């Protein structure tokens, strides 16, 4: 397969997924979701790509009805979505680390300890990570 055909196939696959998605109007309250599905959601979020593998997002799975009710009342959802939050069997809350730059030294330390990355990667990691975060400046 040529690179052009590979890109076309990938674009077609993405388009098919994007065009097949639907908005759910109602959920079946208390419908059990198998643990295997929940584990798959979590493992997928842990392996999703991010710039320089900084992984600036975390996911919390909420199943507790009381916590979901509180979330539905206080999150910026609007009345049209508040009931969905309460009715859903679980809610995946995605959190983003807005200060990922503070973790770069620790990430670099862990990368060095792993002995997995080539030395050139480790030397350039802080600089390139700063560009990925929009903080870097060209000399």
């Amino acid at each position: 397969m040529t690179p052009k055909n590979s890109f076309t196939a990938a674009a077609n696959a993405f388009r098919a997924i994007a065009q097949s998605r639907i908005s759910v109007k109602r959920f079946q309250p208390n419908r059990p979701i198998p643990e295997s599905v929940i584990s798959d959601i979590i493992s997928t979020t842990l392996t999703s790509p991010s710039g320089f593998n900084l992984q600036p997002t975390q996911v919390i799975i909420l199943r507790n009805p009381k916590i979901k009710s509180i979330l539905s009342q206080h999150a910026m959802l609007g009345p049209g979505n508040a009931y969905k939050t309460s009715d859903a069997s679980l809610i995946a809350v995605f959190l983003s680390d807005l200060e990922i730059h503070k973790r770069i030294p620790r990430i670099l330390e862990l990368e060095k300890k792993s002995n997995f990355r080539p030395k050139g990667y480790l030397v350039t990691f802080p600089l390139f990570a700063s560009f990925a975060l929009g903080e870097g400046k060209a000399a």
Side-chain angles (χ1 to χ4, degrees):
M1 181 178 287
T2 66
K4 182 179 179 183
N5 289 343
S6 176
F7 290 131
T8 301
N12 288 339
F14 175 77
R15 189 176 303 104
I17 291 168
Q19 291 174 344
S20 68
R21 78 150 198 80
I22 59 170
S23 294
V24 176
K25 304 295 183 208
R26 296 293 274 172
F27 293 106
Q28 297 173 3
N30 302 313
R31 179 180 178 184
I33 297 176
E35 288 296 321
S36 61
V37 172
I38 296 168
S39 293
D40 186 48
I41 292 169
I42 293 169
S43 66
T44 300
T45 63
L46 292 174
T47 59
S48 33
S50 65
F52 281 89
N53 202 26
L54 293 176
Q55 302 296 339
T57 56
Q58 303 289 320
V59 65
I60 298 173
I61 303 294
L62 298 177
R63 292 189 271 193
N64 182 300
K66 185 175 180 179
I67 295 173
K68 289 189 305 175
S69 175
I70 291 169
L71 178 66
S72 73
Q73 295 168 25
H74 298 287
M76 296 173 18
L77 297 171
N81 287 321
Y83 71 89
K84 292 179 188 178
T85 303
S86 295
D87 285 355
S89 296
L90 69 78
I91 301 293
V93 179
F94 289 84
L95 309 169
S96 182
D97 185 349
L98 300 179
E99 296 185 336
I100 190 76
H101 63 281
K102 291 181 179 179
R103 290 193 305 137
I104 289 176
R106 176 69 175 139
I107 293 168
L108 182 59
E109 176 187 335
L110 293 171
E111 290 280 15
K112 286 178 180 177
K113 284 183 181 178
S114 75
N115 289 320
F116 179 74
R117 303 284 187 186
K119 186 175 181 179
Y121 175 91
L122 297 173
V123 169
T124 60
F125 175 81
L127 175 65
F128 289 138
S130 71
F131 278 103
L133 298 170
E135 300 168 347
K137 296 188 179 14

